[in-house]
Amino acid sequence: MSQVQRALLVARRELRDSLSDWRIIAPVALLTFLFPWVVMYSTQFGIGYAERYDSDLVLSRLIPFATMVVGFFPVSFSLVIALESFVGEKERNTLESLLSTPITDGALYVGKLLAALTLPLLGSLLAIAIFCLGLPRVTGQHVPLDLLGQMVVLTLTLTLGMVAGAVVVSSTTTSVRAANLLSSFIVMPAMLMVSFQTFVILMEGRAALWCIAAAQALADLGLIRMGVRLFNREELLSRTIDRIDLRRTWRTFWAYIREEPEAVLTRRPSARLTIGRLYRRDIPQVLRRTGGAMVLVVIVLLGAFLLGVVYGQALPLPASAREAMVTSPAQLREAAGQVPSLLWGMHVRPWTIFVSNTRNLALFVLGGLISFGAAAVIPLFATVGVIGFVVGGGFLQGMDAGVLAALLWPHGILELPAALIATAAGLRVGASILAPPRGFSLGDTLLHGLAQFCKVFILLVVPLLLVAAFVEFYLTPQVLLWVVGG
Amino acid sequence: MIEAIHLDKYFGDFAAVSDVTFTVGEGEVLVLLGPNGAGKTTTVRMLAGILRPTRGRAVIAGRDVAEDPIAVREMVGLLTELPGLYDRMTALDYLRFFGALQGLSPARQQERSEQLLRRLDIWEARRLRLGEYSKGMRQKIALARALLHEPPVLLLDEPTSAMDPGSARLVREEIGALKQAGRTLFICTHNLSEAEFLADRIAIIRGGKVIVLDTAQRLRRQLLGAPLMELRLRGSLDGILPALQEMVQVTEHGPTWLRYLAPEPETLNPRLLQRLGALGAEVVTLSEVTQGLEEVYLRIVSAGTEALSETASLLQRRGETLP
């Protein structure tokens, strides 16, 4: 028997189990067969109301919104079914007997995923179909085919994300109660996505819905990859109780600081902790492991820069702002000469620049921990985008390339690598939970990533940012003056 | 058939099983005894190819549990500590489902399910949902699940727990039949008399380490000393006792009975009976005063760490244990 057949066997059994439980069937049936009619008559009421004003304007928003709502409600049950299927089985002690059969972890995961997806997704698609077929009768309006396609894709990607997220939650908990408590980490992003879709529909940006679907699909892939790594026999059977153990957390974190990064992963002993070892061995190891993330960050930053340039040229600054821009050498000389005193007047000191840069990078890396590392890229993406915008707009105003280089490079030559390293390391930490190393739990993976990030951040990024802040304050204005001949 | 070589299992920095070594031959029954949390279930899970050993290796019928876990799971029948049944399924559906997962054909699933349900005396309840079953019946279904694909190796975690005496006897007989059929059995239990009844050899595990491993009889001798014999005569001991005290170490006596230590009962007892005959004494009974496995077990598991290591090292010096 192949693993695909085993996966289907598991899916069929679980589906039969769900179908025999009225607590699941009753609400899904109500939301599938009754709710579309409620929405249809609500839409009819909405259309009647809209006709008094500007019916086209309202209709173009109301029908997509109603279709989305009809599709979303039945899939909300996928979360309950998935939690029940994954962590419920663990709690009822039925999982071990399943794990003792020749089914692989992957096949078991797929079988359970299929079982959790099938019923809510069928319900949702059926509800959308009822809505699409009934709407012309009730209101005389039709759901356009392209909108229907969009809604189906959005529903599919959202459901998959919720179920894949439920697997991740289930794999790290031991009871349905604990999983329910943690499920807000799935419900809240899902609600945010639905709210965002609503906003896009109201703004009539239907094309952007495809981008949302693509983003959801990417997140799904990430969650599925993470779930496949976490849903394994070792992880499922080694966890027996959910409790906070701060002492153990700290001990583990400190052990990861004390050991060389690669020694931890290969479970080999490492040399004694010294500052010399950290610079000679630990930081090069971390930078090597961050290589892929660094390439990705550079590509993203190039994209941000180009996007900034394009927008800078496409959206010229208003006349008042253009007049305020300093482009002539005389203006620049005057402005550059004023920089230190201006900054002193604004209570800006090298220390302020340093603290601001360090804090922003550190905070966004922390945000990256709950966004697969995406948040870690935001500050640098925004900064480089703004630079691109200024460059794009500046060249339109006849800005000199040498002046621009003088404005950016003296401190940028230190600040940019520091930010690049911190961003890439942050991205690596956040993304590491997508594929924890073998034998590492989710928590241990995060702690290991954080420990390595701390080494690089404290020993490499912080000193670079400190020197860059002083250069920015004292040297950059002088270089600018020298360039413009002041 | 089962070979565990220096098995270690760590969960984080906690050593659940540490340096466990043993072998179980074809058709042999090894019973693992130990208090809760001693590492019994973790050992079983490693042998079943569910958990990977952190160090060391385990081989089941020639297949390494870490390198070929799927093949191992095909050859092993596991009765889990808790039955863990799907309450909404009927017994027949449940067994067919697991039969299918084990790769049995639909006809074979049906045949084996029926066979086992009849043999374990739950055929009449086959159409009931498992949620309606009593604890003992649930345990029987779990056992049937483990036996379904006729595996050559059976790992049974508490096979008769929660069963009434009749059902427990039925299961013990089933285990006996499996042994007769040449199956290799590895059984974890708290039931000491059951262990003594079923086991060819007994291992006692504590703190993740196997402390002793031997036959029940030898364990008793090693840990409790020479067997204690009780002799009852028709007449009085008067006049006979001094002559007997020359031959054996008498521990206590009454007017017509005495108890003595017999380090080598096989040679000592026939000589003693001959002497009694010569003295004209009529023997009513000569029997061993049973010192149960419970005594051995409690002595090991309730010993402090120092006492425990003393016991273990003493036995190892005497070369009488395998671990």
Side-chain angles (χ1 to χ4, degrees):
Chain A
M1 168 170 272
S2 72
Q3 292 298 336
V4 175
Q5 286 171 306
R6 287 193 171 100
L8 292 175
L9 258 174
V10 170
R12 204 171 58 198
R13 193 209 69 76
E14 297 224 351
L15 205 55
R16 279 178 62 181
D17 223 35
S18 296
L19 286 171
S20 68
D21 192 342
W22 68 268
R23 290 166 303 182
I24 292 174
I25 285 297
V28 171
L30 281 176
L31 290 171
T32 302
F33 298 107
L34 198 64
F35 187 63
W37 295 100
V38 174
V39 177
M40 265 182 258
Y41 285 104
S42 305
T43 308
Q44 187 192 27
F45 174 77
I47 290 169
Y49 180 77
E51 275 168 353
R52 283 190 273 163
Y53 302 97
D54 181 352
S55 67
D56 284 346
L57 196 69
V58 177
L59 267 179
S60 61
R61 291 158 171 81
L62 193 59
I63 291 176
F65 175 72
T67 318
M68 185 192 76
V69 168
V70 165
F72 174 71
F73 274 71
V75 299
S76 59
F77 271 86
S78 62
L79 186 62
V80 179
I81 297 175
L83 290 179
E84 224 359 78
S85 165
F86 284 89
V87 76
E89 182 136 33
K90 199 157 45 164
E91 193 176 49
R92 288 187 297 272
N93 298 304
T94 51
L95 191 59
E96 193 178 354
S97 47
L98 208 51
L99 296 179
S100 70
T101 65
I103 193 168
T104 59
D105 293 337
L108 190 54
Y109 176 87
V110 170
K112 285 181 163 287
L113 198 72
L114 283 176
L117 279 174
T118 307
L119 192 59
L121 211 53
L122 276 179
S124 172
L125 296 180
L126 200 55
I128 292 176
I130 290 171
F131 181 76
C132 290
L133 294 173
L135 193 69
R137 252 180 215 205
V138 175
T139 66
Q141 298 290 333
H142 292 270
V143 177
L145 264 182
D146 63 324
L147 174 70
L148 184 63
Q150 268 184 332
M151 289 305 146
V152 168
V153 173
L154 281 168
T155 305
L156 186 72
T157 50
L158 187 69
T159 317
L160 191 58
M162 285 170 71
V163 173
V167 180
V168 173
V169 164
S170 299
S171 303
T172 52
T173 51
T174 58
S175 64
V176 176
R177 177 182 166 274
N180 278 328
L181 291 173
L182 275 181
S183 65
S184 52
F185 282 105
I186 306 162
V187 174
M188 282 172 65
M191 292 312 295
L192 279 175
M193 288 313 288
V194 172
S195 307
F196 190 54
Q197 287 170 28
T198 308
F199 173 75
V200 169
I201 289 169
L202 291 178
M203 296 296 288
E204 258 196 305
R206 287 258 315 279
L209 288 178
W210 288 119
C211 298
I212 295 176
Q216 285 183 172
L218 266 179
D220 293 350
L221 286 178
L223 286 167
I224 288 173
R225 185 181 155 91
M226 194 173 167
V228 167
R229 276 298 180 102
L230 287 173
F231 190 77
N232 63 74
R233 288 165 162 81
E234 290 283 330
E235 186 68 22
L236 293 171
L237 293 176
S238 61
R239 197 174 286 274
T240 53
I241 195 161
D242 302 304
R243 66 188 166 98
I244 298 171
D245 188 346
L246 290 177
R247 278 181 64 181
R248 185 194 169 267
T249 306
W250 169 249
R251 263 205 326 268
T252 309
F253 179 74
W254 179 241
Y256 291 156
I257 290 277
R258 224 174 37 226
E259 305 290 323
E260 288 174 38
E262 285 170 8
V264 172
L265 296 173
T266 53
R267 298 189 189 276
R268 289 201 190 110
S270 60
R272 201 167 61 87
L273 177 68
T274 60
I275 288 287
R277 191 206 80 187
L278 286 169
Y279 276 107
R280 274 197 317 273
R281 299 177 65 90
D282 294 38
I283 288 178
Q285 283 177 20
V286 178
L287 291 180
R288 260 202 310 276
R289 290 176 58 78
T290 313
M294 216 152 329
V295 171
L296 187 67
V297 170
V298 168
I299 293 170
V300 169
L301 294 186
L302 282 175
F305 184 78
L306 290 175
L307 204 67
V309 169
V310 169
Y311 272 93
Q313 293 186 335
L315 305 168
L317 292 171
S320 56
R322 280 204 302 273
E323 281 163 16
M325 277 187 84
V326 283
T327 47
S328 73
Q331 283 176 308
L332 280 168
R333 267 195 300 278
E334 193 188 337
Q338 287 173 354
V339 167
S341 55
L342 270 175
L343 293 175
W344 279 96
M346 290 159 67
H347 300 289
V348 173
R349 307 283 183 275
W351 185 249
T352 332
I353 298 171
F354 165 70
V355 169
S356 166
N357 285 341
T358 310
R359 183 193 54 207
N360 290 344
L361 279 173
L363 280 178
F364 278 95
V365 165
L366 285 180
L369 295 182
I370 51 166
S371 62
F372 304 131
V377 189
I378 290 173
L380 202 53
F381 184 89
T383 308
V384 172
V386 169
I387 291 172
F389 185 80
V390 170
V391 169
F395 279 125
L396 277 183
Q397 302 301 311
M399 183 181 268
D400 183 66
V403 170
L404 192 71
L407 265 171
L408 297 175
W409 278 114
H411 60 279
I413 207 160
L414 297 168
E415 209 172 71
L416 193 64
L420 188 63
I421 291 169
T423 303
L427 178 64
R428 182 82 176 75
V429 177
S432 65
I433 58 172
L434 289 174
R438 189 177 281 279
F440 277 66
S441 67
L442 199 61
D444 286 347
T445 307
L446 271 180
L447 285 177
H448 182 255
L450 263 181
Q452 306 323 320
F453 175 80
C454 287
K455 287 177 188 173
V456 168
F457 196 74
I458 294 168
L459 296 173
L460 196 63
V461 174
V462 167
L464 282 172
L465 288 177
L466 189 62
V467 177
F470 277 91
V471 170
E472 186 172 355
F473 191 83
Y474 291 111
L475 196 62
T476 302
Q478 300 308 318
V479 172
L480 188 61
L481 275 177
W482 177 73
V483 168
V484 297
Chain B
M1 197 56 114
I2 303 177
E3 201 177 354
I5 307 155
H6 301 298
L7 274 186
D8 281 354
K9 182 65 192 175
Y10 280 80
F11 295 116
D13 49 5
F14 170 70
V17 169
S18 180
D19 198 24
V20 165
T21 298
F22 59 80
T23 55
V24 190
E26 197 172 336
E28 189 184 6
V29 180
L30 178 73
V31 170
L32 187 63
L33 289 173
N36 292 331
K40 298 190 298 290
T41 300
T42 304
T43 305
V44 166
R45 285 174 176 173
M46 281 193 283
L47 296 178
I50 299 177
L51 291 179
R52 278 175 84 90
T54 309
R55 270 192 294 266
R57 59 194 293 251
V59 181
I60 307 288
R63 302 297 184 101
D64 190 297
V65 296
E67 286 165 14
D68 204 355
I70 293 178
V72 167
R73 292 200 289 268
E74 280 169 354
M75 285 186 296
V76 162
L78 173 67
L79 172 66
T80 49
E81 190 178 3
L82 297 162
L85 309 179
Y86 296 121
D87 288 349
R88 292 176 172 276
M89 293 179 96
T90 64
L92 260 181
D93 285 345
Y94 181 78
L95 291 181
R96 280 196 212 119
F97 169 67
F98 274 93
L101 277 178
Q102 287 289 359
L104 302 184
S105 67
R108 188 78 184 126
Q109 290 163 27
Q110 180 66 30
E111 185 191 335
R112 283 292 293 158
S113 302
E114 191 175 333
Q115 247 175 30
L116 287 164
L117 290 176
R118 285 188 191 281
R119 211 153 75 197
L120 293 168
D121 200 21
I122 34 179
W123 176 247
E124 297 306 319
R126 67 188 180 281
R127 298 209 190 284
L128 288 180
R129 287 182 181 234
L130 296 173
E132 297 171 61
Y133 275 34
S134 69
K135 278 184 184 174
M137 288 164 84
R138 292 169 73 82
Q139 189 75 354
K140 283 184 189 176
I141 289 288
L143 182 63
R145 179 190 69 212
L147 300 175
L148 201 61
H149 56 297
E150 298 181 278
V153 175
L154 283 154
L155 308 172
L156 311 179
D157 205 348
E158 299 289 345
T160 57
S161 66
M163 281 186 176
D164 60 80
S167 299
R169 186 173 174 182
L170 190 81
V171 169
R172 276 197 293 272
E173 283 169 4
E174 180 65 31
I175 292 171
L178 289 166
K179 188 184 164 188
Q180 290 298 315
R183 305 286 169 81
T184 303
L185 287 113
F186 183 87
I187 302 171
C188 294
T189 183
H190 287 294
N191 188 331
L192 300 174
S193 57
E194 182 176 283
E196 208 163 359
F197 176 76
L198 294 172
D200 291 317
R201 286 185 300 147
I202 289 172
I204 299 181
I205 188 169
R206 203 188 96 153
K209 292 177 192 292
V210 171
I211 307 299
V212 290
L213 192 158
D214 216 323
T215 61
Q217 196 183 14
R218 288 182 66 188
L219 282 178
R220 268 201 303 273
R221 252 186 232 176
Q222 287 159 16
L223 288 156
L224 303 176
L228 187 66
M229 308 302 296
E230 187 178 273
L231 176 72
R232 286 189 179 272
L233 300 177
R234 185 179 291 277
S236 167
L237 273 173
D238 290 346
I240 301 174
L241 191 60
L244 294 181
Q245 277 173 328
E246 283 173 16
M247 291 182 71
V248 296
Q249 186 188 341
V250 176
T251 56
E252 54 187 322
H253 65 87
T256 59
W257 62 272
L258 66 83
R259 283 183 172 182
Y260 63 92
L261 291 170
E264 301 286 340
E266 301 84 359
T267 54
L268 184 65
N269 288 345
R271 280 200 293 121
L272 187 78
L273 289 172
Q274 271 182 351
R275 181 91 172 115
L276 284 166
L279 290 169
E282 285 184 88
V283 176
V284 177
T285 58
L286 173 62
S287 58
E288 184 175 349
V289 179
T290 312
Q291 299 187 84
L293 189 61
E294 190 176 343
E295 192 64 30
V296 176
Y297 175 77
L298 289 176
R299 191 171 284 198
I300 289 175
V301 298
S302 62
T305 314
E306 276 176 39
L308 185 75
S309 55
E310 274 175 20
T311 309
S313 60
L314 174 72
L315 292 170
Q316 275 168 356
R317 276 202 305 277
R318 289 162 65 177
E320 288 171 345
T321 52
L322 290 176

